[in-house]
Amino acid sequence: MTTSLKLEDHVSLITGAGSGIGREIACAMAREGAKIAVCDIDMDGANETVATIQSGGPGDAKAFRMDVTSEDEVNSATDAAVEHFGRLDSLVSNAGVQIVHAIENFPVEQFRKVVDIHLTGAFLTTKAAVKHMYPAGSGSLIYMGSVHSHEASPLKSAYVSAKHGILGLARVIAKEGAKHGVRSNVICPGFVKTPLVEKQIPEQARDLGISEEEVVNKVMLGNTVDQEFTTVQDVADVAVFLAGFDSNALTGQSMLISHGWVMK
């Protein structure tokens, strides 16, 4: 007895797919039969993701260099992916960076960097993707938000601003895209123990004047129901679900994957 694949013949473009959450989403979609455009500025990481996919499942993958803050690179990589795979069914706008400072010490160029990668990157990749999705009459736009799309935390003015902005962008696109059969949703994880989060632990301990253990147990996990980190697999499972959900019944929504940290 063969089990049908959830994303057979599906083509997804995933940014920041050379490591962390993006890689896990790419691999999870590929295991369900999807073809993956693995996009990153780190081509070594992107090629590692491709090799992992090609060695372990029914899906296929190809790496594309993409700086999500460059409109030219976003457009050229998206067009190249569509030319290679023949279509584009979903976009996962995942590329991100984290920089933390108190507002009075936040260098403006670092603030702009965070917002540009997260929010401008989401805008540019959306703009490039819908040029292919709208004529096809179908598509799923999946944005990597955060609990910080809804809640604020000290030291994260840039990140929280960007993640709130992504939620607004996704809801606008849900309204604009509906007549073209294109859905738009935001995955909002709690803290996922990736290198990006691990880097924050000593930084927040330093800036808040507390121990690293207190950062984890009080700042990061203190409001969860079980003091557990969200896993990359948790996030990837939701991405697979959203990619395969093909009606406007689910659009313009934020999916909170946070061990009950935020309930909406």
Side-chain angles (χ1 to χ4, degrees):
M1 178 179 178
T2 58
T3 302
S4 62
L5 298 171
K6 296 177 183 177
L7 297 176
E8 190 169 10
D9 297 325
H10 183 102
V11 176
S12 185
L13 187 152
I14 305 173
T15 68
S19 63
I21 291 172
R23 175 177 288 177
E24 188 63 32
I25 291 172
C27 292
M29 286 189 173
R31 286 192 295 270
E32 293 296 339
K35 301 176 179 67
I36 310 296
V38 177
C39 297
D40 211 303
I41 57 172
D42 174 11
M43 289 306 293
D44 288 341
N47 285 317
E48 286 179 17
T49 300
V50 170
T52 300
I53 288 170
Q54 292 181 335
S55 67
D60 192 13
K62 182 176 174 60
F64 299 88
R65 177 185 161 79
M66 183 189 287
D67 175 352
V68 297
T69 69
S70 165
E71 186 166 16
D72 287 343
E73 282 201 24
V74 168
N75 288 342
S76 62
T78 303
D79 291 345
V82 173
E83 182 177 357
H84 179 77
F85 289 117
R87 56 189 292 168
L88 181 61
D89 298 295
S90 65
L91 163 70
V92 182
S93 177
N94 167 74
V97 67
Q98 177 63 283
I99 301 173
V100 296
H101 293 289
I103 188 71
E104 67 271 20
N105 299 319
F106 216 126
V108 66
E109 69 275 7
Q110 292 187 10
F111 185 96
R112 286 177 177 146
K113 178 180 179 179
V114 173
V115 173
D116 210 22
I117 291 171
H118 288 273
L119 184 54
T120 307
F123 164 74
L124 290 175
T125 51
T126 298
K127 186 178 177 184
V130 297
K131 289 190 299 183
H132 300 282
M133 292 178 176
Y134 282 2
S138 179
S140 178
L141 301 167
I142 302 168
Y143 301 93
M144 193 55 59
S146 167
V147 163
H148 288 106
S149 296
H150 297 276
E151 296 290 322
S153 289
L155 311 180
K156 295 187 175 182
S157 55
Y159 186 81
V160 171
S161 297
K163 292 304 190 184
H164 272 65
I166 285 171
L167 187 58
L169 173 68
R171 287 173 172 170
V172 170
I173 302 305
K175 291 180 180 288
E176 291 187 7
K179 64 185 177 184
H180 303 285
V182 172
R183 288 87 57 210
S184 170
N185 293 287
V186 186
I187 302 175
C188 294
F191 281 102
V192 182
K193 204 166 186 182
T194 62
L196 192 68
V197 167
E198 289 175 343
K199 178 176 176 287
Q200 292 177 53
I201 295 171
E203 291 175 343
Q204 292 205 44
R206 176 198 66 214
D207 289 349
L208 294 172
I210 59 178
S211 70
E212 293 187 16
E213 184 179 11
E214 287 176 302
V215 170
V216 171
N217 294 331
K218 294 182 179 179
V219 176
M220 292 185 169
L221 304 180
N223 291 322
T224 65
V225 297
D226 53 10
Q227 283 66 58
E228 294 286 341
F229 281 100
T230 302
T231 69
V232 289
Q233 187 62 55
D234 294 331
V235 180
D237 288 345
V238 176
V240 168
F241 168 72
L242 289 174
F245 195 98
D246 61 358
S247 90
N248 287 336
L250 179 56
T251 194
Q253 303 304 311
S254 61
M255 311 286 282
L256 282 148
I257 316 300
S258 68
H259 287 258
W261 175 6
V262 171
M263 302 182 188
K264 290 192 180 290

